[in-house]
Amino acid sequence: MAKLKMTPSEALVETFVAEGVNTTFGIVGSAYMDALDLFPDAGIRFISVAHEQAACHAADGLARVTGKPQVCIGQNGPGAANFVSAMVAAYWAHSPVVAITPETGSMGIGKGGFQELDQMAMFSEQTVYQVRVNSPQRIAELARRAFYMAKLENGPAQLNIPRDYFYGICEDEIYTTLEISRGCGPRKQIEEAARLLAQAKYPVILAGGGVSQGDALEEVKGLAEYLSAPVCNSYLHNDSFPQKHPLSVGPIGYCGSKAAMRTIAKADVVIALGSRLGPFGTLPQYDIEYWPANAKLIQVDINPRVFGLSKRPDVASVADVKEFTAELLAIVKEMNADLEVNKERLKDIEKEKKIWSDELEEWSIYTQKLMHPRRFLRELSQAIPTNAIISTDIGNNSSMCNAYFNFDGIRQHISALSWGNCGFAYGAAMGAKIGRPDVPVFAFQGDGAFGISGIAEVMTAVRENIPVIAVVANNHEWGAEKKNQIDYYEDRFIGANLDANPNYAKIAEDMGAKGYRVEDYNDVQDVVKDAIASGQPCVIDAVIEGGEKVLAEPFRRDALKMPVRYLDKYAHLNAK
Ligand SMILES: Cc1ncc(C[n+]2csc(CCOP(=O)(O)OP(=O)(O)O)c2C)c(N)n1
Ligand SMILES: [Mg+2]
């Protein structure tokens, strides 16, 4: 194709078009106004948010449900800085967000002029690729590269453009986007994995986020069914295997399924598909040391950086999980033709699931006027259709919900994962809803998190007509942290109470959304149905019980210690 004479702004916008980007998120700014002016004619919707953090989370949410790179853009300096936390969330989620960060003009860099900050250093730890455009003539090339890297390395990329470089001439081609398949990896490892599985007495599959991102659910089901192997979801990936499947035992990790943890503990071979076996996601929970230290481990991931992080694999393969699993099943079938269903194991799985669901039900049906969070979660999870997308935040309730929310398929559980930032859910849900207007999309978060990056974005959802349904678990406290003060600091509550919370339903109404205030668990199911039917942005302000009696065990029991004080002044604070 012949080179086109374009302005850099045109080259940038045409690259978006070539990459299939039709929605961008940000806050308007002079630094990129020359490109922004082209968006409508390029068929690109610009969603104007309340805070750039939400723009980046929204691009992440959209990327997670579509599997394609998505864009956030902001003003140089403070606008770009507001992306930082959300970019890290995208990084640990392996989500291809492309952040366009205009920066101070090329002739002013280093002078401490208006809105200047070293934007390269700021994003260096949470990008798979970053580049500072060093000539307006290179915009098409470098923008393309940012997209390719985001896509091929499954993670955020940063395209940093000195603001004067939006003007000028860029003579270049616009490439169509690349579709590269990675393949199943070397046959040697697939055969070794097949051999281990063929000899296994109790093989267990751990389905990670890669199963969802790699569209590998059918292959994983096929393998599980042939081997009669139970399947656990990895931490905060409740959508990597559907819980209604008879071989599903639910998620391991904090506030997850005891059935999953007791089952994986029995494994003599674990096959981790599309999981980095994150250190936090594999910690003991409910006092169950579930990781089977003596089991053989097969680990398959597309990303070579994940191996040896926290567990030593006996067989490791850098491969596309979908293709690896399909090949593996074929070889397992060759080695072990006509394998019969292992009825004993199925019975064992059923037994573990029953014990856990009875226990969870018992925890959940304790009631009183103010809602017990578990009762509320039980009603909520029964009301939310299993084809819905739920974006979940970080907090005590956002963790408790791990035992309740289940999904029909992949790309439905959008969570903050190991970055663990409060304020993730609402922005991510907006992006998810843009990508999947056909299904209900929920943002589940605590009252604290809703204050960080939720309530203000309800304005965005109304203005841009994005009908997400926010569920605010309103316990009037930063519950997860309060629980630490209860368990370790003798109820000395410092900064843990949120006793001035407004009525979020009323505020939502005032913003033009639908608001519901729920104070009785009996109303939860009707409210959820009504919210889904409304087709409007909704806020369900669920006033739930908080405090010592109802909060789940602390998040970071692994990292906290009882207080020790040596100075007289603080001696009374020593643990008694
Ligand atoms: C951005 C950010 N700030 C602080 C924290 C520390 N933190 C973890 S959980 C939590 C409490 C969350 O409170 P809320 O959203 O009300 O949910 P709850 O625990 O009450 O269910 C806090 C402050 C964090 N994870 N992220
Ligand atoms: Mg709270």
Side-chain angles (χ1 to χ4, degrees), residues 360-378:
L360 188 64
E361 183 69 1
E362 207 179 293
W363 288 359
S364 308
I365 56 174
Y366 154 88
T367 66
Q368 55 190 76
K369 186 153 191 304
L370 274 181
M371 294 184 289
H372 187 287
R374 289 189 176 275
R375 179 68 199 231
F376 163 65
L377 280 168
R378 175 184 182 269

Side-chain angles (χ1 to χ4, degrees), residues 93-161:
H94 308 286
S95 187
V97 170
V98 178
I100 313 293
T101 60
E103 79 173 333
T104 201
S106 62
M107 297 304 286
I109 293 174
K111 289 190 184 175
F114 192 57
Q115 299 178 324
E116 191 190 352
L117 180 66
D118 183 350
Q119 296 181 178
M120 302 308 282
M122 199 160 65
F123 290 97
S124 65
E125 294 295 316
Q126 66 274 33
T127 41
V128 295
Y129 176 76
Q130 55 174 178
V131 64
R132 169 181 268 148
V133 173
N134 63 353
S135 160
Q137 294 168 35
R138 295 189 65 190
I139 290 247
E141 171 208 339
L142 297 175
R144 169 170 71 238
R145 194 135 172 79
F147 276 94
Y148 282 14
M149 294 298 278
K151 200 161 163 171
L152 297 175
E153 292 206 358
N154 296 315
Q158 178 198 11
L159 180 66
N160 193 70
I161 310 172

Side-chain angles (χ1 to χ4, degrees), residues 332-399:
V332 166
K333 281 183 177 167
E334 268 170 33
M335 278 186 187
N336 229 330
D338 306 318
L339 194 65
E340 282 180 15
V341 171
N342 187 325
K343 293 203 180 110
E344 218 170 290
R345 210 180 293 136
L346 286 184
K347 252 194 231 148
D348 193 47
I349 294 168
E350 208 181 312
K351 188 191 84 195
E352 290 294 1
K353 282 167 83 165
K354 174 92 173 64
I355 294 172
W356 168 233
S357 67
D358 286 352
E359 189 175 1
L360 188 64
E361 183 69 1
E362 207 179 293
W363 288 359
S364 308
I365 56 174
Y366 154 88
T367 66
Q368 55 190 76
K369 186 153 191 304
L370 274 181
M371 294 184 289
H372 187 287
R374 289 189 176 275
R375 179 68 199 231
F376 163 65
L377 280 168
R378 175 184 182 269
E379 300 303 321
L380 183 69
S381 58
Q382 287 180 2
I384 294 181
T386 50
N387 71 341
I389 291 172
I390 312 179
S391 153
T392 60
D393 216 279
I394 291 295
N396 203 270
N397 286 281
S398 293
S399 303

Side-chain angles (χ1 to χ4, degrees), residues 287-542:
D287 296 324
I288 310 174
E289 285 271 357
Y290 59 85
W291 191 263
N294 297 322
K296 296 276 185 209
L297 174 63
I298 304 162
Q299 189 180 5
V300 185
D301 204 283
I302 202 156
N303 181 355
R305 290 174 179 237
V306 306
F307 297 96
L309 254 185
S310 60
K311 309 282 177 217
R312 184 181 64 190
D314 297 279
V315 178
S317 181
V318 178
D320 176 280
V321 163
K322 184 182 177 76
E323 296 187 40
F324 179 97
T325 310
E327 272 306 299
L328 175 64
L329 178 57
I331 296 178
V332 166
K333 281 183 177 167
E334 268 170 33
M335 278 186 187
N336 229 330
D338 306 318
L339 194 65
E340 282 180 15
V341 171
N342 187 325
K343 293 203 180 110
E344 218 170 290
R345 210 180 293 136
L346 286 184
K347 252 194 231 148
D348 193 47
I349 294 168
E350 208 181 312
K351 188 191 84 195
E352 290 294 1
K353 282 167 83 165
K354 174 92 173 64
I355 294 172
W356 168 233
S357 67
D358 286 352
E359 189 175 1
L360 188 64
E361 183 69 1
E362 207 179 293
W363 288 359
S364 308
I365 56 174
Y366 154 88
T367 66
Q368 55 190 76
K369 186 153 191 304
L370 274 181
M371 294 184 289
H372 187 287
R374 289 189 176 275
R375 179 68 199 231
F376 163 65
L377 280 168
R378 175 184 182 269
E379 300 303 321
L380 183 69
S381 58
Q382 287 180 2
I384 294 181
T386 50
N387 71 341
I389 291 172
I390 312 179
S391 153
T392 60
D393 216 279
I394 291 295
N396 203 270
N397 286 281
S398 293
S399 303
M400 262 191 267
C401 74
N402 295 343
Y404 294 85
F405 290 154
N406 52 72
F407 302 92
D408 286 345
I410 56 172
R411 299 188 186 281
Q412 286 184 243
H413 187 194
I414 312 293
S415 78
L417 298 171
S418 338
W419 179 235
N421 63 317
C422 294
F424 167 84
Y426 198 92
M430 285 198 295
K433 184 68 189 174
I434 300 273
R436 290 297 309 276
D438 54 317
V439 294
V441 176
F442 289 80
F444 183 89
Q445 65 261 288
D447 46 341
F450 194 57
I452 293 182
S453 179
I455 184 75
E457 299 300 340
V458 175
M459 284 186 292
T460 306
V462 171
R463 190 170 53 228
E464 300 284 347
N465 188 21
I466 309 170
V468 296
I469 302 169
V471 178
V472 185
N474 186 358
N475 56 5
H476 294 85
E477 63 196 13
W478 295 100
E481 299 300 351
K482 187 173 195 172
K483 179 64 176 159
N484 294 325
Q485 294 176 339
I486 292 168
D487 282 13
Y488 295 86
Y489 297 93
E490 295 171 337
D491 292 359
R492 293 190 291 275
F493 299 133
I494 304 168
N497 289 325
L498 292 168
D499 36 29
N501 279 348
N503 179 322
Y504 294 115
K506 275 196 193 160
I507 296 191
E509 291 275 344
D510 210 36
M511 288 173 158
K514 253 192 130 182
Y516 304 87
R517 181 121 163 141
V518 182
E519 296 178 330
D520 183 337
Y521 67 85
N522 289 301
D523 299 335
V524 174
Q525 302 222 14
D526 288 343
V527 161
V528 170
K529 276 190 205 124
D530 199 81
I532 293 173
S534 79
Q536 279 177 255
C538 296
V539 174
I540 300 174
D541 182 6

